[in-house]
Amino acid sequence: MRIAGSLWSVPPDDRLPTAHRLHAAGLRRLHWDTTDGRFAAAGGFTPDDAAELAARTGMTAEAHVMAHRSAGEVDAWADFCDLVIVHVESDDWRDAVARVERRGVRAGLAVSPQTPAAAVPHDLPVLCMSIVPGQAGSVFDERVLAKLTALRDAAPERLLGVDGGVRREHAEALALAGADWAVVGTDLVFDRADAWAELLQPAAAD
């Protein structure tokens, strides 16, 4: 299982040094969240800020767009991310996915905790939320393990990830449930990079 690091909870002035520290520890991928302030709590990053940080660290990037209307948000992220994820609960996710793919970038779908696995199409990467979107620092919801297993069984070849409250002690169960990658924020960035050392490796979306 591969790791993408989230800087959502890191103060703006600390983001670049934190990213450099994590890169030195082995992290090779950053996960960028953005929200419209209605689908999820206000926060996250602008594409310009994220692109600059990604360029200055040399890490690959993926974007997670939390918005009711996603299609108008994805172009700027597709300029520098190799995976752009929108929510299956958004009003225009099909249009957003098509727009990302027209840019020659892989599109994925995020699925919130209340949405059943059966509502997710089989032909796209899926990011399972293990907390309510936008609520960084929340406790990991272990019910995501059953959802991961169901999604893996339905489409064995698809790229499958998990995001929200992930701690090092969850890694083995997530991998056994079928997760290919995990987004890790608080547990990774606040002095626990050493606990993740063996899993900090390039996390290309392929």
Side-chain angles (χ1 to χ4, degrees):
M1 188 175 66
R2 297 169 175 178
I3 304 302
S6 170
L7 304 179
W8 174 288
S9 299
V10 179
D13 290 346
D14 295 338
R15 287 168 181 166
L16 182 60
T18 297
H20 281 311
R21 173 172 58 81
L22 294 174
H23 186 268
L27 186 70
R28 294 295 180 267
R29 188 167 183 82
L30 291 170
H31 175 93
W32 301 109
D33 292 297
T34 187
T35 169
D36 61 7
R38 295 180 296 113
F39 187 94
F45 300 86
T46 67
D48 288 345
D49 287 345
E52 180 181 0
L53 274 167
R56 293 179 70 178
T57 62
M59 287 193 258
T60 60
E62 62 188 44
H64 177 196
V65 179
M66 293 175 275
H68 287 291
R69 303 288 296 175
S70 301
E73 306 289 333
V74 296
D75 281 6
W77 294 101
D79 284 343
F80 68 98
C81 294
D82 58 30
L83 173 64
V84 179
I85 302 160
V86 299
H87 269 264
V88 72
E89 302 90 4
S90 66
D91 299 333
D92 61 348
W93 70 263
R94 291 178 179 82
D95 291 340
V97 164
R99 193 172 185 106
V100 172
E101 291 177 339
R102 284 197 297 270
R103 299 290 301 275
V105 173
R106 176 175 276 185
L109 287 176
V111 54
S112 297
Q114 75 276 9
T115 301
V120 184
H122 293 174
D123 58 343
L124 291 168
V126 176
L127 182 66
C128 288
M129 299 301 298
S130 43
I131 63 171
V132 174
Q135 295 189 7
S138 298
V139 176
F140 177 82
D141 186 344
E142 293 192 1
R143 290 176 294 182
V144 76
L145 297 172
K147 183 180 287 186
L148 286 166
T149 299
L151 288 165
R152 174 60 68 216
D153 289 345
E157 302 303 317
R158 97 169 108 207
L159 189 67
L160 192 57
V162 63
D163 180 10
V166 177
R167 297 178 63 84
R168 181 63 182 86
E169 54 264 33
H170 302 132
E172 183 176 359
L174 289 170
L176 289 173
D180 298 300
W181 98 99
V183 178
V184 186
T186 302
D187 199 54
L188 175 65
V189 302
F190 296 115
D191 301 322
R192 290 201 62 193
D194 57 337
W196 288 91
E198 64 186 279
L199 292 176
L200 293 181
Q201 57 183 325
D206 57 20

